[in-house]
Amino acid sequence: MKKIINDPADVVTESLRGFAAAHADLVRVQYEPDVVVRADAPVAGKVAIISGGGSGHEPLHAGFVGPGMLDAAVPGAVFTSPTPDAVQAAVTATTGEAGALLIVKNYTGDVLNFETAGELAAAEGLDVRSVVIDDDVAVADSTFTAGRRGVGGTVLLEKITGAAAARGDSLDAVEALARKVIGQVRSIGVALTAPTVPHAGEPSFELADDEIEFGIGIHGEPGRERIKLEPADALVARMVDAVVEDLPFTSGDRVLLFTNSMGGTPQLELYLAHGIAERLLAERGITVARRLVGPYITSLEMQGISLTLLKLDDELAELWDAPVETAALRWRA
Amino acid sequence: MKKIINDPADVVTESLRGFAAAHADLVRVQYEPDVVVRADAPVAGKVAIISGGGSGHEPLHAGFVGPGMLDAAVPGAVFTSPTPDAVQAAVTATTGEAGALLIVKNYTGDVLNFETAGELAAAEGLDVRSVVIDDDVAVADSTFTAGRRGVGGTVLLEKITGAAAARGDSLDAVEALARKVIGQVRSIGVALTAPTVPHAGEPSFELADDEIEFGIGIHGEPGRERIKLEPADALVARMVDAVVEDLPFTSGDRVLLFTNSMGGTPQLELYLAHGIAERLLAERGITVARRLVGPYITSLEMQGISLTLLKLDDELAELWDAPVETAALRWRA
Amino acid sequence: MSCTANGVADALRAAASAIAEHRVELIELDRAIGDADHGENLNRGLAAIVSALDPAVPDTPGAVLKLAATTLISKVGGAAGPLYGTAFLRAATKVGAVSELDAAAVAEALRAAVEGVQARGKAVEGDKTMVDALLPAAAAAEEAAGVEGADVAAVLTAAADAAAKGAESTVDLVARKGRASYLGERSAGHLDPGARSSALLLRALAEAAR
Amino acid sequence: MSCTANGVADALRAAASAIAEHRVELIELDRAIGDADHGENLNRGLAAIVSALDPAVPDTPGAVLKLAATTLISKVGGAAGPLYGTAFLRAATKVGAVSELDAAAVAEALRAAVEGVQARGKAVEGDKTMVDALLPAAAAAEEAAGVEGADVAAVLTAAADAAAKGAESTVDLVARKGRASYLGERSAGHLDPGARSSALLLRALAEAAR
Ligand SMILES: Nc1ncnc2c1ncn2[C@@H]1O[C@H](COP(=O)(O)OP(=O)(O)O)[C@@H](O)[C@H]1O
Ligand SMILES: Nc1ncnc2c1ncn2[C@@H]1O[C@H](COP(=O)(O)OP(=O)(O)O)[C@@H](O)[C@H]1O
Ligand SMILES: [Mg+2]
Ligand SMILES: [Mg+2]
Ligand SMILES: [Mg+2]
Ligand SMILES: [Mg+2]
């Protein structure tokens, strides 16, 4: 294993120290339990938006803390969902009368730990709700699985609910909006190489030189299917098909297209894939009205990409465009 | 080789198509020769800031085209400096009475091709000047080498000259400013893995599992020295020492610290390294007054990082803080 | 060992040693069909229990189990943290405030623990989870406790044996819960890391009880 | 072959084939001490020359060389593009508007080409660059051209032989110019890609001239 680290057990905390130093204008970081909080939290009268999960997916979630997006992020150990006390610390630091929305990616660990945190918050008389995002079309959503995973759609959900909270929406309204977004966002991922978890020291799976994992998650779990590497045109078409036909997205739809790097894929390839996806969607009569391209929800150094489509209406487009000021996403209206 | 590409010969052009689709609000892209131009170019009365070089270093340079930074970027083939006609096309698209500054990284190919382009521009009666940035302390700056390479400092130079041009500085003033920045910026890089050039199909160099290249460039050239992988504390100290002692930076200096990922290094490690560098600089009495952390000048999928230090004064800090709106860097004052 | 507060504490220390010893194995099992953290997380949690017991062992077996539960919940994370945490919490509640556990109490505690895991995780037998080790363990413990003159060691040994067999049975299963379920058919042929850690924990407790 | 415009065009086509054939070798040489693009870039440039000659071959050898020069400058990039471009441009200027080149003209053109490379790149003999192939080539060409009754083929063959030897001599050198110079001592033990491509080009031209 080749990594720029000291003791693997300290990776998350040491990285947070660097993050805190780099972004003192945006965040403050609390340690033990580790929580990244908006510098000006709690924001009076505003619904707090909180998310978290295992580390190793950066910039998710800490990179999205700031005005217009998250009030707090709760980073667990690498690929390990955080514990309830850490989530509770995030709630305590950010949540007032207006309540909080917890954005939970659908993994057994995240769901269970955030569930307990929600109970702890309720016991303190706070109005804290949870939504579970499960946008990964690679996983069959049946009783034979833990259900679909939360992947790329999480980034869009955090941005859009963050904007709604920033404009003063009530917790009821933000929660309803979150459920609407979850209902119309879908993703698929592919991996060319495996990530290496620091404490494990070995790549999470082995792939031959001509093999890729189609339907990969973001935790180094092997994908749903192992296929041969194919040219970008064919691969992106396979991905677009999987996403479009799931919801389905149909001719006339306006969408946000999010082309995400899993970490190790260079921008040169990422934009190349994005261009193909844009073309394929246009051919289907689907209008790409907004786009996001970059490494926003990653799996350590894994090479691969994911595509996420969100069906837009005027409200969602407006909330997407609303100003945001975080370490990883930053724009003005 | 595992890449999300079609024909290796088409990588740059296909990637530009995706970039153009993703950022139509910021840029327009011309093909054959390939040039990325600010959407609203030429900007009347403003000095044009133009840079370019081989592709594979994204977001450099195209990701820095937009208000407050570059007017045009000229992407060559992967790791191959662009040809003079491409540079000339960039000049033609952006340059008026106020003239243009070409920012050239110190590589034989870039220097020669931009030199010719400058002659072509002069022949057309345009006032076009060049500055050559050579901030890499890994290379001995002697007659026994092609001179120091231009690396991380390029990003800072493009931002600062872009801000000066945006506030209306003359070409004389922008050129003088550029030379000042070049005089007080220094960098060092390290590689844990090699990049793979698409048309080459093989990693650019081989490294044992416990070896790293210290003093790496950004083109998959092997580094200056091959050393054993060491803990992050020791490695970052080695890098800080190399940079600080070169200029030298001394106690009482105010600096901008730029911690850059070479592409394949995940954010978790990058911020960890950044945190260590902040601590070591503080111990030396050097004040980190501004910072930039992220993958901004990369070498395809290469794992590794670079550290860049720029000595700041009030003017440079102000120009750094000035608004910028590009695909890769974006903030308001 | 007598199953007093100190006895339970010693058993937990033995369990912590066992997990530390098998940390890499559990990581490797999780690497194959999960995300390579089970051994790391559980080891962190058990080590934290040992530290938590260090200043002073709580008064009753139930209080020791409760301390273990809250420590696991706040130190492990992932799926295993809340599941094992709930297991210990239910066991603690079940044994109440007595100062020493007999064979029947241990069997009842184990049953409560499994029910807790199932209540939280919704897994049934055959889903390829820790439940496949814990359910047969609870049944075997009840059966052993029913035998005339059975002691705690006998109950836990029966549970550990059954858990080991139950864990082995997960190899052939296709996962329907947890992270391994994303793999579908490809999850078959691998031992479930949580079932394995359950078997390891019960074996360590049983040996401490002898 | 007679060294008319068409003869030079044919020789350039032969050179393009040679570079296409050795594309991977040149990439590999550049991968070792550079950035793995020399074969790709040169191949793109030579192929572009072949295309540029396709619609119509220019009238004179000089015009053909000039077309080659401008094509290289606008298609190759990197260090080799402007250096080879300048070489061809200087050669074109040197030969002027004559309709056929004799042995002396070829030798003079080669000398002008080397001087162009040195003027642009500032490399001297021993810096481990294409200059180490081209300088001896120019000298050998001049010597061959001085021999009574020497023809173009003899001049180019002498040049190609000397270039091959010159290229080989770069193996032991430590680079002082170009990308390989960043390696310092580690650049020794490798053949310089530009010297190798110079030798390949001259060999192809020589063989076409026979
Ligand atoms: N719903 C569930 N019910 C019972 N056990 C489960 C469930 N989901 C997962 N597990 C157990 O948890 C183990 C994985 O634990 P761990 O690796 O620590 O968590 P994570 O999957 O979050 O990384 C699995 O091997 C399985 O035995
Ligand atoms: N200053 C120079 N003078 C002469 N030849 C040079 C010089 N710099 C580089 N070269 C030649 O160029 C070759 C590399 O060409 P190429 O790989 O195409 O360019 P780049 O180094 O820009 O990638 C070297 O092998 C060397 O022979
Ligand atoms: Mg996990
Ligand atoms: Mg090159
Ligand atoms: Mg796991
Ligand atoms: Mg090269």
Side-chain angles (χ1 to χ4, degrees):
Chain A
M1 170 181 57
K2 275 181 162 175
K3 292 189 180 285
I4 303 174
I5 59 174
N6 294 307
D7 184 336
D10 301 331
V11 164
V12 173
T13 304
E14 288 190 59
S15 187
L16 285 175
R17 276 189 220 293
F19 189 81
H23 304 293
D25 52 329
L26 290 170
V27 303
R28 60 171 199 267
V29 178
Q30 300 170 191
Y31 301 92
E32 293 190 63
D34 296 344
V35 180
V36 178
V37 176
R38 237 179 100 155
D40 57 351
V43 182
K46 192 183 86 71
V47 171
I49 310 289
I50 298 169
S51 193
S55 291
H57 310 302
E58 292 68 28
L60 189 86
H61 302 270
F64 301 133
V65 173
M69 213 158 163
L70 297 182
D71 293 83
V74 195
V78 174
F79 290 174
T80 300
S81 58
T83 54
D85 55 317
V87 179
Q88 194 189 9
V91 170
T92 304
T94 60
T95 307
E97 294 280 294
L101 183 72
L102 307 183
I103 294 180
V104 183
K105 303 196 293 303
N106 190 34
Y107 299 95
T108 307
D110 291 76
V111 170
L112 294 179
N113 285 289
F114 276 83
E115 209 170 82
T116 305
E119 288 163 19
L120 293 172
E124 294 194 2
L126 292 168
D127 192 358
V128 172
R129 320 264 178 91
S130 290
V131 289
V132 176
I133 170 141
D134 55 351
D135 55 316
D136 186 354
V137 305
V139 177
D141 187 12
S142 75
T143 49
F144 297 108
T145 68
R148 292 186 154 178
R149 297 174 287 219
V151 287
T154 313
V155 177
L156 312 185
L157 181 62
E158 293 179 2
K159 168 68 183 80
I160 287 170
T161 53
R167 77 177 173 191
D169 281 16
S170 69
L171 182 54
D172 279 342
V174 176
E175 185 188 357
L177 175 74
R179 294 191 194 284
K180 172 173 144 179
V181 169
I182 292 167
Q184 57 202 57
V185 65
R186 294 291 183 277
S187 301
I188 187 84
V190 64
L192 277 65
T193 62
T196 298
V197 178
H199 61 250
E202 296 286 326
S204 293
F205 48 87
E206 267 102 52
L207 277 174
D209 270 358
D210 62 345
E211 281 179 346
I212 62 177
E213 289 279 350
F214 191 78
I216 193 76
I218 54 171
H219 295 88
E221 317 96 318
R224 182 74 186 181
E225 197 187 347
R226 190 160 288 193
I227 63 172
K228 292 284 166 201
L229 179 63
E230 53 193 359
D233 280 337
L235 179 62
V236 176
R238 189 190 291 270
M239 297 176 77
V240 167
D241 288 353
V243 172
V244 165
E245 283 158 20
D246 185 272
L247 190 63
F249 295 86
T250 54
S251 180
D253 280 350
R254 278 171 72 213
V255 300
L256 186 159
L257 168 60
F258 169 28
T259 305
N260 175 60
S261 160
M262 293 293 198
T265 287
Q267 266 203 30
L268 200 68
E269 293 171 44
L270 189 65
Y271 276 109
L272 189 149
H274 178 77
I276 298 169
E278 290 245 7
R279 176 165 51 73
L280 294 171
L281 290 169
E283 282 170 19
R284 286 177 176 268
I286 296 168
T287 304
V288 178
R290 298 290 185 280
R291 50 276 281 177
L292 180 67
V293 185
Y296 291 110
I297 171 169
T298 64
S299 186
L300 295 171
E301 68 277 75
M302 183 165 87
Q303 286 183 25
I305 62 172
S306 66
L307 293 182
T308 298
L309 280 186
L310 167 66
K311 195 182 286 197
L312 289 178
D313 56 25
D314 289 346
E315 187 196 18
L316 293 186
E318 187 187 303
L319 289 166
W320 178 255
D321 293 340
V324 58
E325 199 177 343
T326 67
L329 276 192
R330 213 183 269 252
W331 59 73
R332 48 184 139 177
Chain B
M1 170 181 58
K2 273 182 163 175
K3 291 187 179 287
I4 302 175
I5 60 173
N6 294 305
D7 184 336
D10 301 332
V11 164
V12 173
T13 305
E14 288 190 60
S15 187
L16 284 175
R17 276 189 220 294
F19 189 81
H23 303 294
D25 52 329
L26 290 170
V27 302
R28 59 172 200 267
V29 179
Q30 300 169 191
Y31 301 93
E32 291 188 68
D34 297 345
V35 181
V36 179
V37 176
R38 234 178 102 154
D40 57 352
V43 182
K46 192 185 86 71
V47 171
I49 310 289
I50 299 170
S51 192
S55 291
H57 309 302
E58 291 69 25
L60 188 86
H61 300 273
F64 301 133
V65 173
M69 211 159 165
L70 297 183
D71 292 84
V74 195
V78 174
F79 290 174
T80 301
S81 59
T83 54
D85 55 316
V87 179
Q88 194 189 9
V91 169
T92 304
T94 58
T95 307
E97 296 280 294
L101 183 75
L102 307 182
I103 294 180
V104 183
K105 302 196 293 301
N106 191 34
Y107 300 95
T108 306
D110 291 76
V111 170
L112 294 179
N113 285 289
F114 277 83
E115 208 170 82
T116 306
E119 288 163 18
L120 293 171
E124 294 195 2
L126 292 168
D127 191 359
V128 173
R129 321 261 179 91
S130 290
V131 290
V132 176
I133 168 140
D134 55 351
D135 55 316
D136 187 353
V137 305
V139 176
D141 188 13
S142 76
T143 50
F144 297 107
T145 68
R148 291 185 155 179
R149 297 173 289 217
V151 288
T154 314
V155 177
L156 312 185
L157 180 62
E158 293 180 2
K159 169 66 183 81
I160 287 169
T161 53
R167 77 178 172 191
D169 281 15
S170 70
L171 182 53
D172 280 342
V174 176
E175 187 188 355
L177 174 73
R179 295 192 194 284
K180 171 173 146 180
V181 169
I182 292 167
Q184 56 202 58
V185 65
R186 293 294 183 273
S187 301
I188 187 82
V190 64
L192 278 64
T193 62
T196 298
V197 179
H199 62 248
E202 296 285 327
S204 293
F205 48 87
E206 267 101 51
L207 277 174
D209 270 0
D210 62 345
E211 282 178 347
I212 62 177
E213 289 279 350
F214 190 79
I216 192 75
I218 55 171
H219 295 89
E221 317 96 320
R224 184 75 186 180
E225 195 189 348
R226 189 157 291 191
I227 62 171
K228 293 284 168 203
L229 179 63
E230 52 192 2
D233 280 336
L235 179 62
V236 175
R238 188 189 290 270
M239 297 177 77
V240 167
D241 288 351
V243 172
V244 165
E245 284 158 20
D246 185 272
L247 191 61
F249 296 86
T250 53
S251 181
D253 280 350
R254 276 172 71 215
V255 300
L256 186 159
L257 167 62
F258 169 28
T259 306
N260 176 59
S261 160
M262 294 292 198
T265 287
Q267 265 202 30
L268 200 66
E269 293 171 45
L270 190 64
Y271 276 109
L272 189 149
H274 178 78
I276 298 169
E278 291 247 7
R279 176 165 50 74
L280 294 172
L281 290 170
E283 282 170 18
R284 285 175 175 270
I286 296 168
T287 303
V288 179
R290 298 290 186 280
R291 50 275 283 177
L292 180 68
V293 185
Y296 291 109
I297 172 169
T298 64
S299 187
L300 294 171
E301 68 277 72
M302 183 165 88
Q303 287 182 24
I305 61 173
S306 66
L307 293 183
T308 298
L309 280 188
L310 168 65
K311 195 183 284 195
L312 290 178
D313 55 24
D314 288 345
E315 187 196 17
L316 293 186
E318 189 188 301
L319 289 166
W320 178 256
D321 292 341
V324 59
E325 199 178 341
T326 68
L329 276 193
R330 214 182 268 251
W331 59 73
R332 49 185 137 177
Chain C
M1 172 200 100
S2 60
C3 217
T4 58
N6 276 321
V8 174
D10 283 343
L12 288 172
R13 291 189 191 100
S17 303
I19 294 299
E21 203 175 304
H22 292 269
R23 175 181 159 275
V24 173
E25 177 197 338
L26 294 171
I27 287 175
E28 289 301 299
L29 291 175
D30 198 27
R31 191 158 73 89
I33 55 170
D35 59 352
D37 61 358
H38 188 60
E40 178 75 10
N41 296 345
L42 213 53
N43 184 49
R44 183 174 57 241
L46 272 295
I49 291 176
V50 173
S51 301
L53 291 169
D54 201 33
V57 172
D59 285 346
T60 62
V64 173
L65 291 171
K66 179 148 187 240
L67 179 64
T70 54
T71 305
L72 290 174
I73 290 171
S74 71
K75 291 294 171 194
V76 177
L83 291 172
Y84 277 128
T86 299
F88 277 87
L89 203 56
R90 293 284 182 103
T93 308
K94 188 78 201 176
V95 303
V98 297
S99 61
E100 187 170 347
L101 306 183
D102 60 14
V106 168
E108 280 171 24
L110 192 50
R111 170 63 64 191
V114 189
E115 283 173 0
V117 169
Q118 290 195 283
R120 286 306 301 270
K122 310 279 183 297
V124 297
E125 193 151 16
D127 282 353
K128 196 180 180 104
T129 70
M130 58 174 69
V131 167
D132 293 319
L134 294 174
L135 266 182
E142 284 161 352
E143 205 188 305
V147 171
E148 191 57 48
D151 63 1
V152 167
V155 168
L156 285 172
T157 301
D161 291 348
K165 256 186 75 184
E168 273 310 315
S169 79
T170 63
V171 172
D172 296 334
L173 297 174
V174 171
R176 286 190 297 242
K177 279 281 180 293
R179 204 173 288 281
S181 71
Y182 306 142
L183 279 175
E185 300 291 330
R186 292 167 76 194
S187 63
H190 297 276
L191 184 60
D192 177 64
R196 174 70 177 139
S197 64
S198 291
L200 286 169
L201 288 170
L202 283 168
R203 178 67 60 203
L205 299 179
E207 287 186 353
R210 280 199 289 187
Chain D
M1 173 201 100
S2 60
C3 216
T4 59
N6 277 321
V8 174
D10 284 343
L12 287 171
R13 291 190 190 99
S17 302
I19 294 299
E21 205 174 301
H22 292 270
R23 176 181 158 274
V24 172
E25 179 197 337
L26 293 171
I27 287 175
E28 289 302 300
L29 290 175
D30 198 27
R31 192 157 74 87
I33 54 170
D35 58 352
D37 62 358
H38 188 59
E40 178 76 9
N41 296 345
L42 213 53
N43 183 50
R44 184 173 59 240
L46 273 294
I49 292 176
V50 173
S51 302
L53 292 170
D54 201 33
V57 171
D59 284 347
T60 61
V64 173
L65 292 170
K66 179 148 188 240
L67 180 64
T70 55
T71 305
L72 290 174
I73 290 170
S74 71
K75 292 293 171 193
V76 177
L83 292 172
Y84 277 127
T86 299
F88 278 87
L89 203 56
R90 293 283 181 106
T93 308
K94 188 78 200 172
V95 302
V98 296
S99 61
E100 187 170 346
L101 306 182
D102 60 13
V106 168
E108 281 170 21
L110 193 50
R111 171 63 63 192
V114 188
E115 285 173 0
V117 169
Q118 290 195 283
R120 289 304 303 269
K122 311 275 181 299
V124 297
E125 194 151 15
D127 282 352
K128 196 180 182 104
T129 70
M130 57 174 71
V131 167
D132 293 319
L134 294 174
L135 267 182
E142 283 161 352
E143 203 188 308
V147 172
E148 190 59 47
D151 63 1
V152 167
V155 168
L156 285 172
T157 301
D161 291 347
K165 256 186 73 185
E168 272 312 313
S169 79
T170 65
V171 170
D172 295 334
L173 297 174
V174 170
R176 286 189 296 243
K177 278 281 179 294
R179 203 173 289 283
S181 70
Y182 306 142
L183 279 175
E185 299 291 330
R186 291 168 76 193
S187 63
H190 297 275
L191 185 59
D192 177 64
R196 173 69 177 141
S197 64
S198 291
L200 285 169
L201 289 170
L202 283 168
R203 178 66 62 204
L205 299 178
E207 287 186 352
R210 281 198 288 190

